[in-house]
Amino acid sequence: MSQSNKRHLITVTNPKSPISESYRSLRTNVDFSSIDESMQVIMVTSAGPGEGKSTTIANLAVTYAQMDRSVVLVDADMRKPTEHHTFGVSNRFGLSSVLSQQASLEDVIQKTNVPNLSVITAGPIPPNPAEMVASRRMTALIGELRNRYDVVLIDTPPLLAVTDAQIVATKSDGVLLVIDYGKVKRDIAIKAKANLDKVGARVLGVVMNNVKRKSSEAYYYYYYGTADSK
Ligand SMILES: Nc1ncnc2c1ncn2[C@@H]1O[C@H](COP(=O)(O)OP(=O)(O)OP(=O)(O)O)[C@@H](O)[C@H]1O
Ligand SMILES: [Mg+2]
């Protein structure tokens, strides 16, 4: 990450760009990934660190909000949280505060500059994030957000490092697996997918990040696959 903590969201600053368009097609793919079950609570994860999870889910949140859905983005990466930087909001209270009963849900839902998009930041880093996301209070919180928002999007830590993402997967309708195409070896990606399968997660698809196009520096998102395809 660069010196500054400020992160810019391409879907906000340049919604007409091809990259923003690819986030919109990711959104469309998520919406069409299941005919019978509603895909309301979606989380993102990856095998390892720095593959683009937080960037992906933040831009996906913006594209949902841009089509007039009410959206809440929950930063459930209570180990290396970043969404408060992305949206320029305070992280004094957040998810960890609600789960440890230091704050109410109302206290931690923050509006962003993007219409229709609210965020619940991670809050102060707790000693026991895995236990926190496994709690019944976390299940209840997600249930409450289902009642209040059209779409609930959840950022999580890497799969192969800690169990948090696997636990959140059991409470989500669908999972997006981000893979840094330039970095992650095939067997690692397969292991990550297996970890999700183990807990019965519904993997909606894989987001290939950092796929080099013809021009050497360009990053591009490419989405493929629907439920059960690899
Ligand atoms: N497609 C992309 N193009 C350009 N930069 C990107 C892209 N995806 C991610 N980045 C940059 O790579 C860095 C890591 O991305 P991000 O924070 O989204 O990853 P992460 O998987 O959430 O990391 P962590 O495991 O630390 O939570 C950030 O600085 C982000 O701006
Ligand atoms: Mg992250």
Side-chain angles (χ1 to χ4, degrees):
M1 162 101 231
S2 64
Q3 326 74 301
S4 139
N5 281 330
K6 196 92 189 103
R7 291 168 160 229
H8 93 119
L9 284 169
I10 192 156
T11 45
V12 172
T13 56
N14 194 355
K16 296 219 160 74
S17 71
I19 295 176
S20 297
E21 184 52 40
S22 67
Y23 283 114
R24 283 192 290 277
S25 63
L26 174 59
R27 180 196 67 200
T28 308
N29 277 295
V30 169
D31 283 344
F32 283 97
S33 60
S34 171
I35 310 285
D36 295 326
E37 289 152 62
S38 91
M39 284 296 140
Q40 195 187 356
V41 180
I42 310 287
M43 64 161 257
V44 70
T45 193
S46 64
E51 295 195 56
K53 296 178 286 298
S54 302
T55 307
T56 300
I57 201 80
N59 281 290
L60 187 63
V62 171
T63 61
Y64 269 115
Q66 285 170 342
M67 62 180 262
D68 286 337
R69 305 261 203 102
S70 64
V71 185
V72 65
L73 172 61
V74 182
D75 194 344
D77 186 345
M78 290 184 277
R79 297 169 191 269
K80 264 172 72 185
T82 55
E83 299 299 353
H84 55 291
H85 293 311
T86 305
F87 291 97
V89 296
S90 162
N91 191 33
R92 207 150 74 85
F93 297 103
L95 182 62
S96 64
S97 322
V98 182
L99 298 178
S100 60
Q101 287 182 293
Q102 318 266 319
S104 70
L105 187 54
E106 274 66 33
D107 295 333
V108 300
I109 296 178
Q110 300 186 75
K111 289 223 157 67
T112 68
N113 291 332
V114 179
N116 306 316
L117 176 55
S118 294
V119 64
I120 297 178
T121 65
I125 294 179
N128 53 346
E131 219 175 286
M132 279 195 158
V133 292
S135 67
R136 246 173 285 149
R137 207 167 283 134
M138 178 72 177
T139 311
L141 182 143
I142 292 175
E144 182 57 36
L145 295 176
R146 273 184 198 277
N147 294 335
R148 297 190 190 194
Y149 294 90
D150 297 329
V151 186
V152 180
L153 298 172
I154 310 178
D155 192 5
T156 71
L159 262 176
L160 298 185
V162 289
T163 57
D164 310 21
Q166 256 179 312
I167 297 165
V168 177
T170 65
K171 306 183 185 209
S172 305
D173 300 333
V175 178
L176 291 172
L177 185 61
V178 175
I179 294 182
D180 185 327
Y181 187 75
K183 195 165 80 181
V184 170
K185 300 262 180 317
R186 194 185 148 82
D187 55 327
I188 298 290
I190 289 171
K191 199 163 166 209
K193 170 74 164 59
N195 275 17
L196 292 168
D197 291 342
K198 218 183 291 170
V199 295
R202 181 170 185 130
V203 179
L204 301 178
V206 171
V207 179
M208 301 298 266
N209 194 16
N210 202 2
V211 174
K212 296 259 174 13
R213 302 176 83 201
K214 264 176 265 150
S215 77
S216 57
E217 281 94 31
Y219 287 93
Y220 199 68
Y221 279 89
Y222 180 67
Y223 177 88
Y224 72 90
T226 52
D228 303 326
S229 68
K230 291 175 198 117

